[in-house]
Amino acid sequence: MTAVAGTAKTLAESAYLRIRDAIRGGALPPGTRLRFAELQDLCGMSVTPVREALTRLTAEGFTTVEENRGYRVAPLSIEELWDIARSRQLIEGEALRLSIAKGGADWEGALVSAHHLMKRIARTTQQAPTVVDEDWNHRHNVFHRSLILACGSPILLSISESLYDRADRYRRLSWAIPDNPRAIEEEHELIFKSALARDAEAAVTYLRVHYERTAQQVEAFLLNKAQPDVSI
């Protein structure tokens, strides 16, 4: 029984990750009706783990469910955009402050490494300047997590990770802006140097500004009803 339960859990986790990544990457756009047969083909598995995955995705805000109408990809909204941004500013700001206070040499080393690796590759692909390189996206995630990794609170880290995932669909919109005027690399550099210098006030301020600018750009896009290419 234990082996069977473990296999079912693994399948549900796999289905969750595949559907979530399709939503985050734009393969399943906001508002798309989610049909079980199509999701089973996407995941390569039976309906049960797909159903479990959708239940989890709905709880996390990636999908919605309508009585007698089934599931849809959750729409994007300015209200949710700012709710996520403000929550990240509060949660990650406090986590960063704690991390700077508590972090030792190991934390510094991990942060330096994460920042260096993120800078080593271009943010967008050569073929499509408005499409983010997925390797860079992964390194970007590692950098932001490294900033707060020494906070000493598993709960703060868990909430931060969940908010990061919720923000991803919106973040990709900001990356997809043609001729984006933001110097995102410089924003990361300011956060990084302030954290290493143990200047918590400056680091937290730069992090807040970083998230504020992203939200402002996405809000402008949504208000203009822009439809950028955010596919992987």
Side-chain angles (χ1 to χ4, degrees), residues 3 48 99 115 146 210 215 217:
T48 299
S99 204
H115 182 254
S146 296
H210 183 57
Q217 283 191 323

Side-chain angles (χ1 to χ4, degrees), residues 175-191:
W175 289 340
I177 296 174
D179 301 319
N180 192 331
R182 281 177 68 191
I184 296 176
E185 292 78 9
E186 293 181 12
E187 293 177 23
H188 287 143
E189 191 80 17
L190 289 170
I191 300 167

Side-chain angles (χ1 to χ4, degrees), residues 12 73 134 181 222 227:
V73 176
E134 288 304 314
L222 292 176
Q227 299 295 327

Side-chain angles (χ1 to χ4, degrees), residues 4-231:
V4 173
T7 300
K9 184 176 181 180
T10 300
L11 288 173
E13 177 71 12
S14 178
Y16 162 81
L17 291 174
R18 291 191 184 187
I19 299 170
R20 188 196 66 176
D21 287 348
I23 293 172
R24 287 170 57 179
L28 294 173
T32 299
R33 184 178 177 184
L34 299 173
R35 296 176 172 81
F36 280 100
E38 294 173 358
L39 295 179
Q40 286 177 252
D41 289 340
L42 173 67
C43 299
M45 56 188 68
S46 68
V47 69
T48 299
V50 169
R51 191 184 303 278
E52 291 181 19
L54 287 174
T55 299
R56 181 177 171 184
L57 288 163
T58 300
E60 294 180 358
F62 287 99
T63 59
T64 60
V65 60
E66 302 172 352
E67 188 174 359
N68 299 323
R69 294 188 178 183
Y71 291 88
R72 290 186 182 273
V73 176
L76 298 177
S77 72
I78 292 173
E79 292 75 13
E80 184 187 50
L81 164 69
W82 282 106
D83 192 14
I84 293 171
R86 297 300 185 215
S87 297
R88 294 190 74 195
Q89 288 174 326
L90 289 171
I91 296 296
E92 293 184 38
E94 181 60 20
L96 178 56
R97 196 183 303 276
L98 289 169
S99 204
I100 290 172
K102 296 181 177 183
D106 289 343
W107 170 71
E108 289 184 357
L111 181 57
V112 169
S113 175
H115 182 254
H116 173 72
L117 289 173
M118 182 177 64
K119 289 177 61 178
R120 290 281 294 174
I121 57 177
R123 185 168 56 88
T124 57
T125 64
Q126 292 182 348
Q127 296 81 4
T130 59
V131 177
V132 171
D133 183 277
E134 288 304 314
D135 191 17
W136 183 91
N137 191 28
H138 170 71
R139 297 184 190 196
H140 174 255
N141 183 9
V142 172
F143 168 71
H144 273 278
R145 185 166 177 80
S146 296
L147 285 166
I148 63 175
L149 202 54
C151 71
S153 171
I155 293 176
L156 280 179
L157 290 174
S158 177
I159 295 173
S160 296
E161 186 172 354
S162 176
L163 288 170
Y164 185 96
D165 289 341
R166 289 283 294 274
D168 193 62
R169 292 197 299 162
Y170 294 96
R171 185 167 50 249
R172 287 172 184 267
L173 287 178
S174 73
W175 289 340
I177 296 174
D179 301 319
N180 192 331
R182 281 177 68 191
I184 296 176
E185 292 78 9
E186 293 181 12
E187 293 177 23
H188 287 143
E189 191 80 17
L190 289 170
I191 300 167
F192 167 69
K193 288 183 175 179
S194 298
L196 276 189
R198 305 287 175 158
D199 188 343
E201 291 305 317
V204 171
T205 297
Y206 287 133
L207 186 69
R208 289 178 63 87
V209 170
H210 183 57
Y211 292 157
E212 191 87 11
R213 288 175 177 171
T214 298
Q216 287 170 346
Q217 283 191 323
V218 176
E219 180 182 36
F221 241 25
L222 292 176
L223 286 174
N224 291 330
K225 298 182 179 180
Q227 299 295 327
D229 181 5
V230 293
S231 61

